Amino acid sequence: MGKGMKQHNKVVWPGFSNAPVPRHIAKIGRNDLCPCGSGKKYKECHEREGSVFLEKLARKADKEHLREARAQMKARGVPWYKRIFVRL
Protein backbone atom coordinates (compact mmCIF):
# COMPACT_ATOMS: atom_id res chain seq x y z
CA MET A 1 0.00 0.00 0.00
CA GLY A 2 1.26 3.44 -0.87
CA LYS A 3 1.78 6.29 1.52
CA GLY A 4 -1.48 7.96 2.57
CA MET A 5 -3.63 5.03 1.32
CA LYS A 6 -6.24 3.74 3.74
CA GLN A 7 -7.42 0.19 3.98
CA HIS A 8 -11.21 -0.08 3.92
CA ASN A 9 -13.31 -2.75 5.51
CA LYS A 10 -16.11 -4.58 3.77
CA VAL A 11 -19.34 -2.70 3.12
CA VAL A 12 -22.11 -3.67 5.52
CA TRP A 13 -25.68 -3.07 4.43
CA PRO A 14 -28.00 -1.47 7.00
CA GLY A 15 -29.83 -4.14 8.98
CA PHE A 16 -27.57 -6.90 7.65
CA SER A 17 -24.61 -8.50 9.38
CA ASN A 18 -22.33 -11.43 8.67
CA ALA A 19 -22.88 -12.87 12.13
CA PRO A 20 -24.38 -16.36 11.99
CA VAL A 21 -28.05 -16.55 12.82
CA PRO A 22 -28.69 -18.70 15.90
CA ARG A 23 -30.53 -21.89 15.02
CA HIS A 24 -33.44 -23.18 17.04
CA ILE A 25 -32.38 -26.78 17.50
CA ALA A 26 -35.05 -28.94 19.07
CA LYS A 27 -34.33 -30.92 22.23
CA ILE A 28 -35.37 -34.51 21.66
CA GLY A 29 -35.42 -37.23 24.28
CA ARG A 30 -34.17 -40.70 23.43
CA ASN A 31 -37.62 -42.26 23.80
CA ASP A 32 -39.49 -39.53 21.90
CA LEU A 33 -40.64 -40.16 18.36
CA CYS A 34 -38.04 -39.30 15.74
CA PRO A 35 -38.74 -35.95 14.02
CA CYS A 36 -38.03 -37.52 10.60
CA GLY A 37 -41.56 -38.97 10.66
CA SER A 38 -40.61 -42.64 10.55
CA GLY A 39 -42.70 -43.47 13.65
CA LYS A 40 -39.70 -45.04 15.40
CA LYS A 41 -38.15 -43.88 18.64
CA TYR A 42 -35.33 -41.38 18.20
CA LYS A 43 -32.80 -43.76 19.79
CA GLU A 44 -33.59 -46.44 17.18
CA CYS A 45 -33.68 -44.12 14.19
CA HIS A 46 -31.30 -41.11 14.05
CA GLU A 47 -29.60 -40.93 17.45
CA ARG A 48 -26.33 -42.25 16.00
CA GLU A 49 -26.13 -39.21 13.73
CA GLY A 50 -26.49 -37.02 16.82
CA SER A 51 -26.54 -33.25 16.58
CA VAL A 52 -25.75 -33.31 12.83
CA PHE A 53 -29.24 -34.64 12.09
CA LEU A 54 -30.90 -32.12 14.43
CA GLU A 55 -28.95 -29.21 12.90
CA LYS A 56 -30.01 -30.36 9.43
CA LEU A 57 -33.65 -30.32 10.54
CA ALA A 58 -33.17 -26.84 12.05
CA ARG A 59 -31.63 -25.50 8.81
CA LYS A 60 -34.51 -26.97 6.82
CA ALA A 61 -37.08 -25.38 9.15
CA ASP A 62 -35.27 -22.01 9.02
CA LYS A 63 -35.22 -22.08 5.21
CA GLU A 64 -38.93 -22.87 5.09
CA HIS A 65 -39.72 -20.10 7.56
CA LEU A 66 -37.68 -17.60 5.53
CA ARG A 67 -39.36 -18.71 2.30
CA GLU A 68 -42.80 -18.16 3.85
CA ALA A 69 -41.81 -14.72 5.19
CA ARG A 70 -40.53 -13.64 1.77
CA ALA A 71 -43.72 -14.91 0.10
CA GLN A 72 -45.81 -12.84 2.54
CA MET A 73 -43.66 -9.79 1.82
CA LYS A 74 -44.12 -10.34 -1.91
CA ALA A 75 -47.89 -10.52 -1.45
CA ARG A 76 -47.76 -7.17 0.38
CA GLY A 77 -45.88 -5.63 -2.53
CA VAL A 78 -42.40 -5.27 -0.99
CA PRO A 79 -39.81 -4.91 -3.81
CA TRP A 80 -37.44 -7.82 -4.49
CA TYR A 81 -34.33 -5.87 -3.51
CA LYS A 82 -35.69 -5.44 0.01
CA ARG A 83 -36.86 -9.06 0.30
CA ILE A 84 -33.47 -10.61 -0.48
CA PHE A 85 -31.82 -9.10 2.61
CA VAL A 86 -34.45 -10.35 5.07
CA ARG A 87 -32.98 -12.50 7.81
CA LEU A 88 -35.13 -13.93 10.55
Side-chain angles (χ1 to χ4, degrees), residues 8-80:
H8 296 284
N9 292 332
K10 291 182 180 179
V11 174
V12 179
W13 292 86
F16 185 79
S17 70
N18 290 332
V21 178
R23 301 241 186 268
H24 304 288
I25 299 174
K27 301 279 185 186
I28 299 174
R30 290 184 45 154
N31 290 319
D32 295 340
L33 291 177
C34 189
C36 73
S38 66
K40 297 180 183 178
K41 290 183 179 182
Y42 177 66
K43 66 182 179 184
E44 298 169 351
C45 193
H46 283 100
E47 186 182 34
R48 277 184 257 127
E49 295 176 28
S51 63
V52 173
F53 173 71
L54 297 177
E55 288 173 5
K56 180 180 174 183
L57 286 177
R59 279 193 308 272
K60 185 177 179 182
D62 287 348
K63 275 186 180 178
E64 192 62 36
H65 183 65
L66 185 60
R67 187 176 293 127
E68 290 172 6
R70 286 182 175 157
Q72 289 174 359
M73 290 174 74
K74 184 177 183 180
R76 287 185 301 199
V78 176
W80 67 270

